[in-house]
Structure formats: structure tokens, C-alpha cells
């Protein structure tokens, strides 16, 4: 086990609105870490600030000891971060298999010219990439959709395609922004099991969810945000019994 994420006083402001307000926490590389909070609490902003989609207005992000605060999204990917989005982003006109192959490009050695020349080593590399893509699809239980157009698939399956594409880059940390949004209870349970399986194959997982039951069952540690502030950071049991957390949720439900 080693320290994966070290967040120090991270803040993001949008024209005076503190979407993320002085958040500090650590995550180790052997856990499933969850981020909870009512709508608008700053969860997606936290992901964006960590992965280079939004520039923090204050604070620092360290990833395996390296300061990545000011890196761009491509550089974050090279460091080993991969993510999915709250609103699904798949290449909807491409097949499922091609979506996964696109996610793999950072690990392919061949350059642009070699792709046209198709050397023997290029063809071997392509073959390995396709095999690897099928392995990922199999793990996510969507191998049978490999040749289907991603955009034609049910919502829950597209969410899995997006996770497969993120996994294709062989990340050290996989960030999932509301992966069960739009899923029925059965699909949600299945995905919870799969996330646990993914964790066992390698990457640490950081997951955002509203679904408290899902989070309590899945995560090793949970951070709770409310109005951009970190109000709890603890084990699931302690978070579930934290009066401030209960108040934030009940308050949010009454609105
Ligand atoms: N690009 C942006 N410009 C302005 N305000 C934003 C932007 N992104 C998020 N916000 C605001 O920041 C707050 C936190 O949003 P967000 O991180 O999306 O919350 P969550 O993911 O927890 O629902 C909200 O009040 C939201 O309206
Ligand atoms: Mg969000």
C-alpha cells in the first residue's frame, strides 16, 4: 500500500461561488474511495480539478508523490488517471470494440507512419490490443456487444463501455462519476460487484455516487462534501452515523 492521492487545501471558485472550498484528504492505492454529497456539493468539480479538466484556484494535488496540480488532461492520463463522466461520453457512432481500442492508444508504441506501413510488429501489436480489449469487455460482461454500435446500446451498457474505454489505458486510478445513474436496481447491484472485481485487477477506484447504500457497501473510505466543504472523511460505518452527514442529506431531501 502506498499513498496515491494527496489533496491539500484544494479550492475551485466559479465567479465567486466556492464550488470546492479548502478540501484536504489522502487516498491510498489499495482502496475504493467514495465521494458522497447532495447535488451541487462539488463532487464533479473535485474530479475535474484532480484530472485537469478544471484548473484549481487554490491548493495542490499530488499523485504518487508527484505534483500534478497544473498538468493538463493528456498529462494526467499519462500519469495513470482515467475517468468516466456523469453524462456518458462514448463515441456513439463507433463500435464497442473501437471505443475500447481508442482508449488504449496511449499504450501503443507504433507511430503514425508505421500504422500505414503495417509492419509485422505493428500487426502483432494490433492483435494484442484487440485481445486485450476483448479481455476488458469480458470482465465487464459486455463481450457479446463488441461489434455493435455503442450509441445503439441501452444506457446501462453504454456506461460499461465508457468504463471499458477508461480501463483500456491501464490506469493506476480509475475515477467513476455517478456510474449507476440511470441504471435499474439489478444493473446497479451488478455494477457494484464489477467495480469490486475491477479493483482486484489493479487500479484504485474513486467513485462518486448519490446512492448511499451502494457506497456504504462498496467503499473503504468515504468523503462527504456539502456546499464545497469536506464535512466527513472516514470509514463507511462512521460516515453513516455522522450527524453532520445525516443533516446534509435530510436537509437536501427536504428542499
Ligand atoms: N463550469 C462551471 N461554471 C460555473 N459554476 C459551476 C461550474 N461547474 C459547476 N458549477 C457549480 O459548482 C457547484 C458544484 O457543482 P458540481 O461539482 O457539478 O456538483 P455535484 O457534482 O456535487 O452535483 C454547483 O453550484 C454548480 O452549479
Ligand atoms: Mg456531479
Amino acid at each position: 500500500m502506498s499513498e496515491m492521492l494527496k489533496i491539500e487545501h484544494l479550492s475551485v471558485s466559479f465567479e465567486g461561488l466556492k464550488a470546492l472550498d479548502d478540501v484536504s484528504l489522502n487516498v491510498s492505492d489499495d482502496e475504493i474511495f467514495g465521494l458522497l454529497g447532495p447535488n451541487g456539493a462539488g463532487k464533479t468539480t473535485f474530479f475535474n480539478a484532480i484530472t485537469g479538466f478544471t484548473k484549481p484556484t487554490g491548493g495542490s494535488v499530488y499523485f504518487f508523490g508527484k505534483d500534478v496540480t497544473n498538468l493538463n488532461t493528456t498529462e494526467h492520463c499519462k500519469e495513470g488517471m482515467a475517468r468516466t463522466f456523469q453524462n456518458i461520453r462514448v463515441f456513439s457512432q463507433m463500435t464497442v470494440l473501437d471505443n475500447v481500442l481508442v482508449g488504449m492508444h496511449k499504450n501503443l508504441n507504433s507511430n503514425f507512419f508505421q500504422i500505414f506501413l503495417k509492419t509485422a510488429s505493428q500487426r502483432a501489436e494490433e492483435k494484442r490490443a484487440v485481445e486485450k480489449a476483448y479481455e476488458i469487455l469480458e470482465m465487464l460482461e459486455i463481450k457479446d456487444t463488441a461489434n455493435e454500435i455503442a450509441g445503439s446500446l441501452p444506457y446501462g451498457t453504454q456506461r460499461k463501455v465508457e468504463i471499458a474505454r477508461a480501463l483500456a489505458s491501464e490506469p493506476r486510478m480509475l475515477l467513476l462519476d455517478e456510474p449507476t445513474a440511470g441504471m435499474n436496481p439489478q444493473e446497479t447491484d451488478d455494477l457494484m460487484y464489477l467495480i469490486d472485481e475491477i479493483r482486484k485487477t489493479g487500479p484504485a477506484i474513486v467513485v462518486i455516487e448519490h446512492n448511499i447504500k451502494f457506497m456504504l457497501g462498496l467503499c473503504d473510505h468515504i468523503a462527504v462534501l456539502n456546499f464545497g466543504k469536506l464535512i466527513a472523511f472516514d470509514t463507511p460505518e462512521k460516515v453513516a452515523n455522522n450527524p453532520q452527514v445525516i443533516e446534509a442529506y435530510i436537509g437536501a431531501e427536504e428542499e
Side-chain angles (χ1 to χ4, degrees):
M1 174 193 109
S2 59
E3 187 177 75
M4 176 177 67
L5 263 185
K6 185 171 164 196
I7 311 287
E8 286 185 334
H9 306 292
L10 193 64
S11 297
V12 174
S13 295
F14 297 112
E15 291 159 16
L17 172 86
K18 287 185 175 174
L20 208 60
D21 192 0
D22 197 22
V23 171
S24 299
L25 54 85
N26 301 325
V27 184
S28 73
D29 67 351
D30 62 345
E31 63 177 300
I32 298 181
F33 167 72
L35 199 55
L36 267 178
N39 252 327
K43 304 180 298 295
T44 296
T45 302
F46 179 85
F47 266 29
N48 289 343
I50 289 177
T51 53
F53 283 82
T54 299
K55 254 202 178 335
T57 39
S60 307
V61 180
Y62 296 89
F63 188 55
F64 290 102
K66 178 172 176 175
D67 187 347
V68 298
T69 317
N70 293 307
L71 300 188
N72 64 33
T73 53
T74 312
E75 291 164 334
H76 278 88
C77 179
K78 284 194 182 131
E79 291 296 324
M81 295 188 188
R83 68 174 291 185
T84 64
F85 294 85
Q86 190 168 348
N87 304 312
I88 297 182
R89 294 193 192 177
V90 295
F91 295 105
S92 57
Q93 306 298 318
M94 285 166 55
T95 65
V96 169
L97 180 65
D98 285 343
N99 265 276
V100 181
L101 290 171
V102 165
M104 229 171 256
H105 75 275
K106 91 161 189 189
N107 291 330
L108 298 182
N109 291 318
S110 306
N111 65 31
F112 191 69
F113 291 105
Q114 284 170 322
I115 287 169
F116 283 99
L117 292 170
K118 288 242 179 191
T119 61
S121 75
Q122 160 70 16
R123 282 195 299 272
E125 190 177 22
E126 249 179 38
K127 186 161 170 275
R128 275 197 305 278
V130 170
E131 281 166 8
K132 171 90 197 308
Y134 272 108
E135 277 169 29
I136 294 170
L137 291 174
E138 185 160 27
M139 177 168 67
L140 289 168
E141 299 172 345
I142 50 171
K143 195 176 164 186
D144 56 332
T145 67
N147 295 313
E148 307 218 19
I149 298 298
S152 72
L153 294 166
Y155 199 76
T157 312
Q158 290 192 41
R159 285 236 170 251
K160 286 188 179 180
V161 173
E162 199 189 9
I163 295 173
R165 192 187 62 202
L167 282 173
S169 68
E170 298 185 344
R172 293 200 278 178
M173 174 172 76
L174 174 67
L175 302 104
L176 305 170
D177 194 346
E178 300 205 18
T180 70
M183 287 190 171
N184 65 39
Q186 182 60 49
E187 287 174 322
T188 300
D189 282 351
D190 289 349
L191 188 65
M192 186 163 145
Y193 168 78
L194 283 175
I195 290 174
D196 216 28
E197 291 297 299
I198 293 168
R199 168 71 205 94
K200 288 177 199 156
T201 70
I205 289 173
V206 181
V207 57
I208 294 177
E209 265 295 332
H210 286 312
N211 187 329
I212 299 183
K213 185 173 149 261
F214 176 92
M215 293 290 263
L216 295 178
L218 184 71
C219 298
D220 299 298
H221 287 98
I222 293 177
V224 186
L225 290 175
N226 196 28
F227 297 110
K229 283 193 160 57
L230 184 70
I231 59 167
F233 175 43
D234 221 319
T235 58
E237 300 75 39
K238 289 195 179 146
V239 162
N241 293 306
N242 180 314
Q244 258 190 299
V245 174
I246 294 165
E247 198 191 311
Y249 270 91
I250 293 167
E253 268 169 31
E254 278 173 356
E255 259 173 36

